[in-house]
Amino acid sequence: MLRDEEFTAYVAARARVLRRSAYLLCGDWHRAEDLTQSALTKVYLAWSRVRRADNVDGYVRTVLVRTYLDEERRHWRRERPAADGLDGTGTDPAAQADQRLDLVRALATLPPRQRAAVVLRCWEDLPIAEVARALDCSPGTVKSQTSRGLVALRAVLAPGLPEGSHR
């Protein structure tokens, strides 16, 4: 049962971070929980191989992102949940909570791959090569998807700023 103990320890240490990333991808805490559970189920089934990976977190993050993208591709899953607030687990002041809600709403306007690129590059602060592996695309595609996503976010969050302004 060493396998189960290792997996359980990994989940205990990383589930919260994975759920937060899933929330940024989908914009709904309940769906984020479902995405996280689906990804962790896939990881568990391959745990004997995953635990030997050079970057277990990167592998699991890739599974999470691909699970999200697969769900977005399904035609029967086209509903767009509204960002209804934080789940109460944080201690954010009201102003920060409002900003987070604005950001989540703005992220929801991006196409799934742009959204994933922006979340992985800007929120997770991952290198381009790792994001490219997670999205199964070239580094150039990561750069262009991230750039387009950031331009779109700026247009939604700060519509009066001229292009190229960052604040």
Side-chain angles (χ1 to χ4, degrees):
M1 281 299 171
L2 180 63
R3 169 189 165 167
D4 288 347
E5 291 171 9
E6 286 178 346
F7 180 77
T8 301
Y10 179 81
V11 170
R14 303 300 294 165
R16 184 178 173 117
V17 171
L18 290 169
R19 184 170 177 246
R20 191 174 327 131
S21 294
Y23 173 72
L24 289 170
L25 290 169
C26 70
D28 176 83
W29 282 112
H30 298 290
R31 186 166 169 223
E33 183 67 34
D34 291 345
L35 284 170
T36 304
Q37 291 301 317
S38 294
L40 288 173
T41 299
K42 292 173 185 178
V43 168
Y44 176 76
L45 293 174
W47 186 248
S48 59
R49 183 178 66 246
V50 173
R51 71 180 185 204
R52 292 189 308 263
D54 291 336
N55 183 355
V56 174
D57 286 339
Y59 187 100
V60 174
R61 190 178 304 107
T62 297
V63 172
L64 177 67
V65 169
R66 290 185 182 169
T67 300
Y68 161 72
L69 291 173
D70 287 346
E71 276 198 12
E72 285 296 309
R73 286 186 195 110
R74 292 189 185 133
H75 294 287
W76 55 269
R77 183 94 165 130
R78 286 293 173 215
E79 63 189 71
R80 290 283 184 206
D84 59 354
L86 300 175
D87 69 347
T89 59
T91 58
D92 293 343
Q96 286 181 340
D98 288 345
Q99 289 175 344
R100 284 180 180 229
L101 289 174
D102 290 344
L103 178 59
V104 169
R105 287 183 187 114
L107 280 169
T109 67
L110 299 180
R113 290 183 68 81
Q114 275 184 15
R115 186 174 183 166
V118 168
V119 167
L120 294 176
R121 284 288 294 140
C122 300
W123 181 264
E124 298 277 339
D125 198 26
L126 296 178
I128 291 170
E130 195 167 333
V131 176
R133 277 192 298 277
L135 295 177
D136 195 24
C137 65
S138 71
T141 300
V142 170
K143 292 176 189 177
S144 67
Q145 291 289 308
T146 303
S147 176
R148 289 180 187 136
L150 290 174
V151 166
L153 286 177
R154 284 186 196 107
V156 170
L157 294 172
L161 287 180
E163 196 168 316
S165 296
H166 297 291
R167 287 210 178 223

